[in-house]
């Protein structure tokens, strides 16, 4: 049975940030383990398995694990660090605590070696390969120093031969576990990297499938899909969109006199200014060559005309073209309002006919049909 705390209690315990909540839950689980260890230590002292004074010292030493890490994270003091969860710090603390428990609980010291191994296994899921291996050698060093010190200080309790066997076990098993944990951590890092690469590749494929490579605008194929979707929405709402076909005037002269690279730059500049002049809800696509299509949902023709007049005035200014002012161009446009239930091709044909009239009438103008 899973117990779920009320939302206010969760916010009070874990804070508002989702990632921080996951870290806080893990830290509270670790704190719970420290509490059990402290209670177990006091119980061991009660039944004579541990010295009461030393047991109390260990319980005091466990205080940072009982409260400290949780408070540091709850107050957000670790958010400035590379690892806000303080994973390495918590694991180092756990190893030092178990080394201290090894001294205080001679009858249970074999069990403590297994707990150290367990900490190293957890490292595989949180730490980097280098940090996992470093943690393993730290464990061997800490236990080795404790075993040597106690074998010299209290050989009657920590019999040197037994301690040598314990150290041999730790020196062989813990580095192996640490090495395997590091390999598993490396696999986890590679999988994370591969996932990021796959997401980037999918985003790139989607962009190539839906965007024009030169201008960055929506391409013709994707525009057709978006227009069909808008047409279905318009049937439900009863508010058809406007369509406007735009053609750059005398664009062939740019390519002939200045080269195709200059023509590409003109297309990019025109697309940038046109995209900036429409609303966020409108869609601008490169329809082909120097021709563009604008889809304007929920827009009356008079509103659309005002937007294109603003674009016309902008393009007439030299500062809009910068170093390409000598290649300044105008545009002709054919505007039409969609009609309820009509096929998209009919509205496009009407806009195309209006564009033809605009060009035949002298260009640099918008004709509405």
């Amino acid at each position: 049975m899973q117990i779920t705390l009320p939302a206010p209690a969760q916010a009070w315990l874990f804070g508002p940030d989702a990632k921080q909540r996951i870290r806080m839950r893990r830290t509270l689980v670790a704190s719970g383990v420290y509490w059990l260890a402290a209670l177990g230590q006091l119980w061991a002292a009660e039944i004579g398995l541990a010295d009461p004074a030393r047991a109390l010292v260990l319980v005091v030493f466990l205080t940072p694990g009982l409260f400290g890490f949780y408070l540091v994270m709850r107050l957000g003091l670790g958010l400035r660090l590379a690892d806000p969860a303080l994973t390495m710090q918590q694991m180092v603390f756990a190893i030092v605590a178990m080394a201290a428990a090894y001294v205080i609980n001679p009858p249970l010291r074999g069990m403590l070696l297994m707990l150290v191994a367990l900490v190293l296994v957890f490292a595989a899921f949180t730490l980097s390969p280098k940090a996992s291996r470093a943690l393993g050698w730290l464990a061997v060093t800490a236990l080795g120093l404790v075993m040597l010190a106690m074998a010299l200080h209290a050989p009657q309790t920590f019999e040197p031969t037994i301690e040598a066997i314990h150290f041999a076990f730790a020196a062989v098993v813990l580095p192996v576990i640490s090495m395997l944990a590091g390999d598993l951590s490396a696999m986890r890092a590679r999988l994370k990297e591969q996932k990021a690469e796959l997401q980037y590749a999918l985003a790139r494929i989607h962009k190539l499938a839906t965007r024009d490579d030169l201008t960055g605008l929506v391409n013709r194929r994707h525009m057709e899909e978006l227009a069909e979707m808008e047409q279905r929405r318009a049937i439900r709402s009863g508010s058809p969109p406007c369509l406007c076909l735009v053609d750059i005037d005398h664009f062939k002269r740019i390519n002939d006199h200045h080269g195709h690279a200059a023509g590409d730059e003109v297309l990019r500049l025109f697309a940038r200014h046109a995209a900036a002049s429409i609303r966020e809800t409108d869609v601008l696509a490169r329809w082909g060559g120097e021709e563009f299509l604008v889809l304007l949902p929920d827009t009356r023709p008079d509103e659309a005309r005002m937007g294109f007049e603003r674009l016309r005035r902008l393009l007439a200014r030299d500062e809009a073209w910068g170093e390409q002012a000598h290649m300044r161009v105008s545009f002709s446009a054919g505007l039409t309002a969609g009609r309820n239930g009509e096929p998209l091709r009919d509205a496009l044909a009407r806009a195309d006919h209006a564009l033809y009239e605009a060009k035949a009438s002298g260009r640099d103008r918008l004709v509405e049909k």
Side-chain angles (χ1 to χ4, degrees):
M1 180 178 179
Q2 185 177 2
I3 300 176
T4 303
L5 293 174
Q10 290 193 42
W12 184 83
L13 275 174
F14 307 123
D17 183 75
K19 290 184 178 179
Q20 190 72 347
R21 285 189 176 195
I22 296 174
R23 302 180 191 121
M24 297 282 288
R25 286 191 179 95
R26 291 173 180 170
T27 301
L28 281 180
V29 169
S31 297
V33 173
Y34 289 128
W35 274 104
L36 289 175
L39 294 174
Q41 189 65 43
L42 294 175
W43 177 74
E46 183 69 24
I47 64 176
L49 289 177
D51 179 83
R54 291 181 175 179
L56 185 59
V57 170
L58 182 60
V59 170
V60 172
F61 179 81
L62 288 173
T63 302
L66 300 177
F67 304 104
F69 289 114
Y70 169 77
L71 289 176
V72 168
M73 295 180 65
R74 183 63 184 86
L75 295 173
L77 301 180
L79 293 176
R80 300 183 184 90
L81 303 176
D83 178 18
L86 304 172
T87 307
M88 189 65 169
Q89 292 86 337
Q90 292 196 56
M91 290 188 171
V92 169
F93 176 82
I95 288 174
V96 174
M98 281 185 276
Y102 188 92
V103 174
I104 295 171
N105 300 281
L108 305 176
R109 60 189 188 274
M111 178 186 69
L112 293 171
L113 294 177
M114 290 187 290
L115 293 179
V116 174
L118 183 61
V119 171
L120 297 181
V121 170
F122 275 107
F125 297 96
T126 51
L127 298 180
S128 67
K130 183 179 179 180
S132 296
R133 297 183 181 106
L135 193 68
W137 287 112
L138 173 66
V140 172
T141 302
L143 290 173
L145 291 174
V146 166
M147 291 173 184
L148 177 62
M150 297 314 296
L152 295 175
H153 178 70
Q156 67 281 4
T157 303
F158 294 86
E159 206 277 320
T161 303
I162 299 299
E163 294 309 304
I165 294 173
H166 282 172
F167 179 74
F169 169 82
V172 172
V173 174
L174 296 184
V176 170
I177 293 176
S178 177
M179 181 187 69
L180 294 175
D183 291 342
L184 183 57
S185 179
M187 290 174 58
R188 179 173 54 84
R190 285 196 298 271
L191 287 174
K192 185 177 181 180
E193 183 180 349
Q194 289 172 358
K195 180 181 178 181
E197 291 175 352
L198 179 59
Q199 289 176 336
Y200 173 80
L202 290 174
R204 179 65 179 162
I205 291 171
H206 177 75
K207 182 177 180 181
L208 291 174
T210 60
R211 294 282 171 176
D212 173 61
D213 192 50
L214 177 64
T215 62
L217 299 177
V218 170
N219 62 22
R220 179 168 184 148
R221 177 180 178 182
H222 190 47
M223 182 58 147
E224 290 175 345
E225 296 173 353
L226 294 175
E228 292 288 352
M229 291 171 58
E230 173 58 26
Q231 187 180 41
R232 290 194 293 271
R233 186 209 62 80
I235 291 173
R236 295 192 300 270
S237 66
S239 177
C242 282
L243 288 173
C244 188
L245 272 174
V246 178
D247 187 85
I248 297 177
D249 294 330
H250 305 297
F251 182 74
K252 187 174 183 299
R253 295 178 186 174
I254 299 291
N255 285 332
D256 291 343
H257 296 166
H258 302 283
H260 289 280
D264 290 346
E265 184 60 24
V266 167
L267 287 172
R268 281 190 288 265
L269 275 171
F270 180 86
R272 189 178 72 191
H273 290 311
S277 68
I278 62 176
R279 303 170 303 178
E280 290 185 359
T281 54
D282 300 335
V283 184
L284 172 64
R286 187 180 180 194
W287 199 240
E290 67 272 21
E291 196 171 65
F292 299 82
L293 177 64
V294 187
L295 173 68
L296 304 104
D298 293 324
T299 306
R300 299 192 309 272
D302 58 322
E303 295 173 329
R305 181 181 288 274
M306 290 173 59
F308 285 101
E309 288 303 323
R310 284 196 303 271
L311 176 61
R312 187 185 309 283
R313 290 193 297 270
L314 173 64
L315 295 179
R317 290 153 43 189
D318 287 345
E319 54 266 31
W321 297 93
E323 296 180 358
Q324 281 74 35
H326 60 289
M327 294 187 294
R328 183 179 61 195
V329 294
S330 60
F331 67 89
S332 302
L335 175 67
T336 188
R339 298 167 185 171
N340 284 327
E342 78 169 339
L344 176 64
R345 63 178 179 274
D346 291 350
L348 284 171
R350 196 163 56 252
D352 188 59
H353 185 61
L355 173 61
Y356 176 80
E357 283 193 14
K359 294 163 87 172
S361 302
R363 302 178 189 271
D364 192 17
R365 67 194 61 210
L366 183 145
V367 171
E368 180 186 338
K369 283 287 186 180

